[in-house]
């Protein structure tokens, strides 16, 4: 039976309850403090720099409060003066002596050089001009549902609501009776909030359960050592486009903790969760929440982060109560059960490597935990109505035929032969379709690719993937040493395999290059070596477009080896030589059996081959089922995307490049262009062009202007044809403000920061759909549900996963917002919806479903806002069209669905050619760091012997 309803963990204010005001104590910076504090902050700055710093930052003091006074709530990262702008909130007043200590510490932190004796004068002048007797906690009532007055249809909560409403609701959750399931109880405590999270991007409030310990059995492949984790619940305030009421979102998850040695993400630090028996600051009250402090590794030493060369923790004498950082990073679990008056748990980060405990919660357990927590939201909030399935929720038309499965039960020889024959016929049909599409993208040229390998096993797997993926079995014309050629009616496919050799070795050889100039030079050297080697090969083998490169994955370059990863340098070098690249990891020798390792290698090779084909611009666009009456024929799809590179990336250069990707009916391949291109080019040409060193614009205003001009130019070139624009909100809106929830206007398009214009002015056939995902809980967590028909299951609160397009039923909403989900992932075949991680659980079959080590997965709830339509359009039909674009059959995950519609997915993949891979550096702070390598090239000049067989154009 198909699920008909989706339940989102979203809650609406109950209008029958009226206002929601609570008593709080607030601390505001007096208005007359503004001039002396700004004078101190601007001291030593020239006029231009002072103009750029219009507000005084409170970020560091907010972090200090989070570590030492977690019960205080901050709502802004910059100081606002005057009684109408409270800085701090608390349920009861904090001791003024401690409060004044924090304020003094903050003021001292505003100096640029605390070691310079000359800076003591402005600081003392500032203290003299401030009347500290006017600083006091003031009691009052705070409206937690206050909305800003705006002409837009979308609710805009007052800025303090985003921090305070979640905080109040989280406090209520802590007062519930403990969460209990199958005899195990979990007690939750609030976690100190992120300081300064003002407005719509706020992280809200968080709760964390008491510690859960799991000891994996050795017989099951575990190490028998304790692993630690906790349940988490987040409470956030969010809005929905064109809806006049805000929402509260609840989300549940897992936080894992480090056992043993800590590896610190370079430049980011690691969170340590603290629960001291008494205040870390003299005369302060004992905290009721988990405090959060950051461990940093910098310049060869480990320390507690919190502002200034000496650190604010030193200023408030909190360091004496904290464990030694050097000791903590060597044995993180030493304090995890409490020791010396404090409990400390260091959060695990993905960059640290594998953790015994898996990520996430499966839908039934997620549902149980959230429905327990939602009791605390009543009576002011009620659950949002269930999402109902759209009438247009079906999949796109099939272009490839589904292969019949081979039954696990034994079959008669005749029946098995019939099944295999049917599979063969359908496979042949599918291969012919894919070859035809590839031939179109190549415009009649051969597909010629390199396989730069480290092992014969993976080389052979890539060759097999090519033969299986394009149905080339029986069409092989030639096979020689490391050369394969297939000829078919549609095209010729050539693969040339050569050892990767030293090009795949770590940057710097035996010495890891140091951050900065040495790292940049190591990348540049390897890039040149790759260019020379590949150009030599291309001389012997013309027409090459693509390189498959077998290279160790991120696991081989973690921690102290973080800057020796050659992947980015190889990609840049190949692009310089005119090739797009697809990487594949070697055989995983750590898997349980050789059989499993070989099957894993086969699947990864098949995926790599498919991904490589897409980089050539091949297209298998999902064909919608909605008809020309609802969706016009000949529809262009355009996706805008921001490709950005930070100055601390591998190239050492900043980049801000708006791009557009186009799927045009009749075009032979996917097209693309960047802001500095004058015409559309094939998708692989766009990818290779992004490897250039493009300087960033100086200001966000300049970047927004460049983005607006690019959008206008692109839309102008398409205004004579039906066009659908797709945008990813969390990506583009930072430089296209119209895409924010409260910036959107129905059927009006805003650019340049000016008034939004009627969509018809940009084209009579233009439509725009904005997509938001669950990043920062912008869309709610969800689960599929239906009434349990079996009385034995009553009260088990089961949840499910289902694919579909969903309609909200909130009264007064616009009818322009829809939600999309995909089905259960094909990689999660061994997981069930009832698997549990937090407490023991028995499934309906009577078997244990307690699986703490499994990685749980739930589909993201994508929000489709059909922002701009033409008269007579059906918003639901356009949402359905976008939903169907998530199911591209040339992806191995076709039945799972893509995270984004196909065109946005392709646009996002362009980041690989302009950004370092999203692998954060980490260091082992207990080990000395490697010294710099010698300046000369330790590897020397690399060269391949690129001989080819007779008949292939070689000597």
């Amino acid at each position: 039976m198909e699920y008909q309803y989706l339940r989102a963990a979203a809650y609406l204010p109950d209008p029958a309850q009226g206002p929601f005001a609570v008593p709080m104590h607030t601390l505001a910076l007096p208005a007359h403090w503004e001039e002396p504090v700004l004078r101190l902050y601007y001291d030593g700055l020239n006029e231009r720099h002072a103009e750029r710093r219009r507000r005084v930052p409170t970020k560091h003091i907010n972090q200090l409060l989070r570590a030492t006074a977690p019960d205080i709530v901050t709502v802004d990262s910059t100081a606002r003066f005057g009684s109408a702008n409270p800085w701090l909130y608390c349920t009861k007043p904090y001791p003024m002596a401690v409060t004044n200590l924090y304020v003094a510490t903050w003021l001292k932190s505003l100096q640029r050089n605390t070691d310079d004796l000359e800076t003591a004068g402005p600081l003392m002048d500032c203290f003299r001009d401030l009347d500290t007797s006017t600083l006091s906690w003031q009691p009052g009532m705070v409206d937690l549902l206050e909305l800003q007055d705006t002409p837009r249809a979308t609710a805009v909560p007052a800025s303090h609501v985003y921090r305070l409403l979640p905080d109040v609701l989280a406090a209520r959750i802590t007062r519930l009776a403990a969460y209990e399931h199958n005899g195990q109880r979990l007690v939750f405590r609030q976690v100190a909030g992120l300081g300064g999270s003002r407005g719509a991007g706020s992280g809200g409030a968080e709760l964390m359960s008491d510690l859960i310990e799991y000891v994996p059995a050795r017989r099951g492949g575990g190490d028998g050592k304790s692993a630690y984790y906790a349940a988490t619940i987040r409470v956030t305030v969010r809005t929905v486009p064109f809806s006049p009421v805000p929402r509260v979102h609840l989300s549940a998850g897992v936080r894992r903790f480090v056992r043993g040695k800590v590896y610190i993400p370079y430049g980011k630090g690691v969170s340590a969760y603290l629960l001291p028996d008494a205040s870390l600051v003299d005369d302060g009250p004992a905290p009721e929440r988990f405090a959060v402090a950051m461990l940093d590794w910098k310049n060869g030493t480990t320390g507690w982060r919190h502002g200034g060369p000496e650190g604010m923790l030193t200023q408030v004498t909190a360091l004496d109560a904290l464990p030694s950082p050097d000791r903590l990073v060597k044995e993180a679990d030493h304090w995890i059960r409490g020791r010396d008056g404090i409990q400390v748990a260091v959060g695990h980060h993905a960059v640290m490597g594998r953790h015994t405990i898996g990520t996430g919660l499966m839908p039934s357990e997620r549902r149980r935990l959230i429905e327990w927590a939602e009791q605390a939201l009543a009576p002011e909030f009620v659950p949002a109505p269930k999402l109902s399935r759209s009438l247009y929720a079906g999949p796109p038309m099939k272009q490839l035929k589904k292969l019949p499965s081979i039954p696990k039960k034994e079959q008669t020889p005749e029946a098995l032969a019939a099944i295999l024959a049917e599979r063969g016929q359908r496979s042949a049909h599918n291969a012919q379709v894919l070859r035809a599409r590839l031939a179109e993208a190549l415009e009649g040229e051969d597909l010629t690719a390199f396989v730069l390998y480290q092992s014969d096993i993976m080389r052979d797997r890539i060759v097999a993937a090519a033969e299986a993926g394009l149905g080339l079995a029986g069409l092989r014309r030639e096979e020689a040493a490391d050369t394969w050629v297939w000829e078919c009616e549609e095209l010729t496919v050539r693969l040339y395999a050569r050892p990767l050799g030293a090009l795949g070795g770590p940057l710097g050889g035996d010495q890891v290059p140091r951050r900065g100039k040495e790292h940049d030079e190591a990348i540049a050297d390897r890039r040149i070596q790759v260019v020379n080697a590949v150009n030599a090969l291309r001389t012997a083998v013309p027409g090459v477009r693509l390189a498959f490169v077998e290279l160790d994955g991120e696991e081989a370059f973690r921690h102290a080896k973080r800057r020796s990863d050659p992947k980015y340098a190889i990609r840049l070098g190949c692009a310089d030589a005119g090739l797009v690249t697809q990487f594949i990891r070697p055989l995983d020798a750590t898997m349980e059996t050789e059989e499993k390792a070989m099957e894993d290698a086969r699947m990864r090779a098949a995926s790599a081959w498919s991904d490589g084909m897409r980089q050539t611009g091949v297209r298998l666009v999902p064909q919608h089922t909605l008809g020309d009456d609802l969706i016009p024929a000949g529809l262009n799809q355009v996706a805008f995307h921001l490709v950005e590179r930070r100055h601390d990336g591998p190239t050492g250069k900043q980049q801000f490049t708006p791009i557009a990707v186009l799927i045009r009916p009749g075009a032979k391949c996917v097209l693309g262009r960047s802001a500095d291109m004058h015409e559309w080019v094939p998708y692989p040409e766009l990818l290779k062009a992004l490897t250039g060193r493009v300087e960033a614009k100086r200001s966000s205003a300049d970047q927004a202007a460049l983005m607006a001009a690019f959008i206008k130019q692109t839309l102008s070139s398409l205004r004579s044809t039906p066009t659908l624009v797709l945008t990813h909100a969390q990506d583009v809106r930072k430089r296209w403000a119209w895409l924010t929830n409260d910036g959107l206007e129905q059927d009006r398009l805003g650019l340049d920061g000016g008034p939004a214009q009627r969509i018809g002015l940009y084209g009579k056939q233009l439509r725009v759909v904005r997509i938001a995902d669950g990043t920062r809980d912008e869309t709610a967590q969800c689960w599929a549900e239906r009434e349990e028909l079996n009385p034995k299951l009553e009260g088990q609160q089961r949840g499910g996963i289902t694919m579909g397009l969903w309609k909200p039923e909130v009264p007064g909403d616009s009818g322009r917002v829809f939600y999309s989900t995909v089905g259960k992932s094909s990689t999660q075949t061994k997981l069930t919806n009832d698997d549990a991680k937090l407490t023991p659980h028995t499934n309906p079959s009577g078997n244990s479903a307690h699986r703490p080590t499994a990685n749980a997965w739930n589909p993201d709830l994508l929000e489709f806002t059909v922002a701009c339509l033409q008269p007579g359009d059906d918003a639901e039909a356009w949402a359905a069209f976008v939903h169907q674009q998530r199911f591209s059959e040339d992806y191995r995950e076709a039945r799972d669905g893509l995270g984004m519609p196909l065109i946005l997915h392709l646009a996002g993949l362009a980041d690989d050619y302009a950004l370092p891979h999203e692998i954060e550096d980490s260091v082992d702070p207990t080990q000395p760091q490697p010294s710099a390598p010698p300046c000369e090239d330790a590897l020397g000049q690399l060269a391949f012997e690129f001989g080819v067989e007779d008949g292939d154009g070689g000597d």
Side-chain angles (χ1 to χ4, degrees):
M1 177 179 175
E2 191 175 50
Y3 293 104
Q4 294 302 311
Y5 297 99
L6 203 67
R7 168 76 197 283
Y11 305 84
L12 305 173
D14 186 352
Q17 296 298 318
F20 186 16
V22 298
M24 276 193 168
H25 286 77
T26 63
L27 183 78
L29 298 176
H32 70 270
W33 280 33
E34 183 170 10
E35 192 277 329
V37 171
L38 285 173
R39 188 172 66 240
L40 172 67
Y41 183 51
Y42 290 162
D43 180 56
L45 293 179
N46 59 40
E47 184 175 345
R48 182 171 64 87
H49 285 140
E51 175 63 22
R52 294 173 62 184
R53 300 185 177 187
R54 297 179 180 179
R55 289 181 178 171
V56 183
T58 57
K59 176 181 177 181
H60 288 159
I61 189 64
N62 291 343
Q63 291 177 338
L64 178 66
L65 292 171
R66 191 182 187 214
T68 61
D71 299 327
I72 295 177
V73 180
T74 62
V75 297
D76 205 346
S77 58
T78 55
R80 297 168 182 261
F81 298 88
S83 58
N85 301 301
W87 171 30
L88 306 177
Y89 293 78
C90 207
T91 55
K92 51 188 175 183
Y94 221 68
M96 280 311 304
V98 182
T99 303
N100 284 326
L101 173 62
Y102 283 124
V103 172
T105 301
W106 169 59
L107 291 172
K108 187 174 181 181
S109 75
L110 299 180
Q111 298 174 281
R112 257 147 296 288
N113 187 354
T114 57
D115 295 329
D116 187 352
L117 295 178
E118 294 184 3
T119 64
L123 178 63
M124 297 308 298
D125 292 341
C126 180
F127 276 122
R128 185 176 58 251
D129 293 341
L130 301 180
D131 182 5
T132 57
S133 64
T134 61
L135 195 64
S136 63
W137 291 90
Q138 298 296 319
M141 300 296 291
V142 179
D143 183 358
L144 297 181
L145 290 177
E146 181 181 349
L147 300 178
Q148 296 182 26
D149 186 15
T150 172
R152 303 287 171 82
T154 304
V156 183
S159 58
H160 67 268
V161 171
Y162 288 97
R163 283 289 286 115
L164 297 181
L165 177 55
D167 194 80
V168 168
L169 296 177
R172 283 187 179 182
I173 295 174
T174 65
R175 296 193 289 270
L176 292 173
Y179 171 79
E180 185 172 357
H181 184 72
N182 267 13
Q184 185 165 328
R185 302 169 74 249
L186 292 178
V187 176
F188 283 80
R189 185 187 295 265
Q190 281 183 263
V191 178
L194 290 170
S197 299
R198 170 184 285 269
S202 165
E206 185 180 59
L207 303 101
M208 191 166 73
S209 75
D210 42 20
L211 209 64
I212 306 172
E213 182 177 1
Y214 176 73
V215 182
R218 293 183 183 274
R219 63 178 181 274
D223 57 10
K225 297 180 180 178
S226 294
Y228 300 97
Y229 63 109
T232 61
I233 299 173
R234 291 190 305 274
V235 188
T236 52
V237 172
R238 295 292 181 255
T239 62
V240 171
F242 313 138
S243 175
V245 293
R247 271 79 166 160
V248 168
H249 289 174
L250 294 182
S251 59
V254 170
R255 173 165 291 119
R256 303 172 296 173
F257 301 109
V258 178
R259 180 191 68 198
K261 185 179 292 186
V262 179
Y263 290 93
I264 300 180
Y266 191 93
K268 290 183 177 288
V270 170
S271 296
Y273 296 84
L274 318 174
L275 191 60
D277 296 340
S279 173
L280 295 178
V281 180
D282 292 341
D283 301 324
E288 298 179 1
R289 310 181 183 195
F290 286 107
V292 184
M294 296 295 292
L295 282 168
D296 263 340
W297 185 91
K298 191 174 183 180
N299 298 327
T301 61
T302 307
W304 294 103
R305 179 203 300 174
H306 283 305
E310 299 299 324
M312 289 185 177
L313 287 168
T314 303
Q315 304 296 322
V316 297
T317 66
L319 281 180
D320 295 340
L322 294 176
S324 161
D326 292 333
R327 175 83 182 277
L328 185 60
V329 297
K330 292 178 181 178
E331 42 184 346
D333 48 350
H334 189 69
W335 284 268
I336 205 164
R337 287 292 187 185
R339 189 182 183 92
D340 303 326
I342 190 170
Q343 180 181 359
V344 182
V346 179
H348 175 83
H349 194 286
V351 73
M352 299 176 184
R354 184 181 178 276
H355 196 282
T356 302
I357 304 301
T359 57
L361 300 176
M362 289 301 283
S364 290
E365 187 168 44
R366 170 188 278 186
R367 177 183 179 184
R368 284 195 297 272
L369 185 56
I370 287 178
E371 289 187 343
W372 168 80
E374 72 181 19
Q375 301 172 81
L377 277 57
E380 288 83 6
F381 290 86
V382 296
K386 296 177 183 179
L387 303 172
S388 59
R389 189 177 290 276
S390 168
L391 297 176
Y392 300 133
M397 289 186 289
K398 294 292 185 182
Q399 301 174 73
L400 303 181
K401 294 183 178 181
K402 183 179 180 180
L403 302 184
S405 59
I406 301 176
K408 294 181 180 179
K409 295 181 179 180
E410 188 174 347
Q411 302 288 309
T412 64
E414 295 78 9
L416 182 59
I419 293 173
L420 293 177
E422 179 68 14
R423 284 179 64 90
Q425 291 175 3
R426 295 190 178 189
S427 294
H429 169 270
N430 294 345
Q432 186 177 26
V433 172
L434 293 174
R435 291 197 303 265
R437 294 290 190 276
L438 180 58
E440 288 178 359
L442 299 176
E443 299 187 82
E445 296 185 10
D446 297 347
L447 172 63
T448 305
F450 297 153
V451 181
L452 305 180
Y453 66 94
Q454 299 191 59
S455 67
D456 293 350
I457 291 175
M458 296 311 298
R459 176 202 61 193
D460 294 344
R461 291 298 172 276
I462 287 290
V463 173
E467 197 162 79
L470 294 176
L472 300 175
L475 300 174
R476 187 180 294 182
R477 189 198 78 185
E478 180 180 339
E479 179 181 356
D482 285 345
T483 302
W484 295 263
V485 179
W486 299 267
E487 283 188 353
C488 53
E489 181 179 350
E490 296 85 3
L491 79 163
T492 297
V493 178
R494 304 173 186 271
L495 288 185
Y496 296 93
R498 299 294 184 269
L500 179 62
L503 291 181
L507 297 181
D510 295 333
Q511 298 290 331
V512 178
R514 289 185 295 195
R515 192 177 187 88
K517 183 179 179 181
E518 289 180 5
H519 189 212
D520 294 342
E521 290 176 349
I523 289 177
D525 289 344
R526 183 63 56 83
R527 182 176 183 175
I528 292 172
Q529 293 162 8
V530 172
V531 170
N532 292 338
V534 173
N535 278 338
L537 179 54
R538 294 196 71 183
T539 300
V541 183
V544 180
R545 298 170 176 266
L546 171 65
F548 294 93
V549 183
E550 181 187 356
L551 188 69
D552 292 327
E554 60 184 69
E555 291 288 344
F557 301 102
R558 287 189 182 277
H559 311 318
K561 299 179 180 180
R562 64 199 180 279
R563 287 185 297 278
S564 63
D565 189 347
K567 184 175 185 178
Y568 196 77
I570 294 173
R571 191 188 290 280
L572 287 173
C574 286
D576 292 342
L579 303 186
V580 290
T581 45
Q582 180 62 43
F583 291 89
I584 183 171
R585 289 183 290 107
L587 185 76
D588 187 352
T590 65
M591 300 195 78
E592 298 176 13
T593 65
E594 182 180 355
E595 182 182 359
K596 288 185 177 180
M598 296 298 283
E599 176 61 18
D600 173 72
R602 185 195 67 78
M603 294 177 61
R604 288 191 290 105
S607 179
W609 176 262
S610 296
D611 290 340
M613 293 303 96
R614 277 182 289 279
Q615 291 194 52
T616 68
V618 69
R619 44 179 291 159
L620 196 62
V621 180
Q623 301 298 299
H624 71 85
T625 60
L626 301 162
D628 294 347
D629 291 340
L630 293 173
I631 306 297
L635 178 69
N636 293 315
Q637 292 185 59
V638 178
F640 291 105
H641 176 64
L642 296 182
V643 175
E644 296 177 278
R645 179 184 293 152
R646 301 194 326 173
H647 64 82
D648 58 353
T651 64
K653 296 287 185 179
Q654 290 181 317
Q655 181 170 336
F656 176 86
T657 308
I659 67 168
V661 175
L662 171 65
I663 294 176
R664 171 183 282 163
K668 296 180 179 179
C669 67
V670 176
L671 303 173
R673 64 183 299 185
S674 64
D676 54 357
M677 291 179 174
H678 300 295
E679 59 183 2
W680 296 100
V681 299
Y683 181 68
E685 298 305 315
L686 171 67
L687 297 181
K688 290 181 287 186
L690 291 173
T691 59
R693 291 173 175 254
V694 182
E695 292 289 349
K697 294 291 181 180
R698 288 184 175 270
S699 69
S700 59
D702 289 338
Q703 292 176 351
L706 175 62
M707 185 72 188
F710 177 57
I711 294 169
K712 285 183 176 179
Q713 182 186 38
T714 303
L715 295 183
S716 176
S717 67
L718 298 169
R719 66 180 298 128
S720 61
T721 55
T723 299
L724 172 64
V725 171
L726 294 175
T727 61
H728 180 196
Q730 284 96 333
D731 167 39
V732 181
R733 69 184 175 200
K734 55 192 169 187
R735 294 297 177 261
W736 189 2
W738 175 76
L739 290 173
T740 59
N741 283 7
D742 57 342
L744 288 171
E745 294 185 58
Q746 287 190 33
D747 304 330
R748 302 179 73 87
L749 189 63
L751 291 167
D752 294 331
Q757 305 292 326
R758 288 183 297 104
I759 189 64
L761 296 178
Y762 293 93
K764 300 296 184 182
Q765 302 185 73
L766 178 65
R767 285 90 174 173
V768 181
V769 176
R770 191 205 74 164
I771 300 173
D773 59 28
T775 304
R776 298 178 66 85
D777 298 320
E778 186 153 338
T779 61
Q781 289 187 347
C782 66
W783 57 87
E785 67 173 31
R786 62 171 177 249
E787 295 299 324
E788 298 294 356
L789 302 180
N790 187 339
K792 294 181 180 180
L793 301 179
E794 185 176 354
Q796 289 200 18
Q797 300 165 299
R798 303 178 74 202
I801 295 172
T802 186
M803 181 273 285
L805 179 70
W806 308 91
K807 299 185 298 181
E809 303 291 347
V810 178
D813 277 8
S814 64
R816 289 292 190 95
V817 177
F818 302 86
Y819 294 92
S820 170
T821 58
V822 296
K824 187 174 182 179
S825 171
S826 60
T827 63
Q828 303 289 339
T829 55
K830 295 183 180 180
L831 283 176
T832 72
N833 294 339
D834 287 329
D835 286 341
K837 189 168 293 180
L838 307 178
T839 61
H841 181 71
T842 302
N843 63 26
S845 301
N847 299 318
S848 173
H850 189 224
R851 301 185 62 189
T853 61
N855 288 322
W857 180 86
N858 288 265
D860 203 3
L861 189 64
L862 289 194
E863 180 183 85
F864 295 168
T865 300
V866 186
C868 295
L869 293 175
Q870 296 295 331
D873 282 347
D874 182 340
E876 187 174 347
W878 282 95
F881 175 85
V882 177
H883 170 71
Q884 291 187 351
Q885 293 301 305
R886 299 184 68 182
F887 301 92
S888 179
E889 295 174 89
D890 57 330
Y891 278 81
R892 185 169 57 88
E893 310 87 349
R895 73 180 182 89
D896 305 346
L898 298 171
M900 285 279 160
L902 175 62
I903 192 167
L904 281 174
H905 179 79
L906 293 173
L909 291 178
D911 288 345
D912 286 342
Y913 285 81
L915 290 171
H917 295 278
E918 301 298 326
I919 304 170
E920 295 172 354
D921 293 341
S922 69
V923 295
D924 176 357
T926 68
Q927 297 294 325
Q929 297 304 298
S931 58
C935 293
E936 62 270 12
D937 182 3
L939 294 176
Q941 179 65 43
L942 296 178
F944 284 141
E945 293 187 12
F946 291 132
V948 293
E949 301 300 317
D950 290 342
D952 290 320
D955 296 328

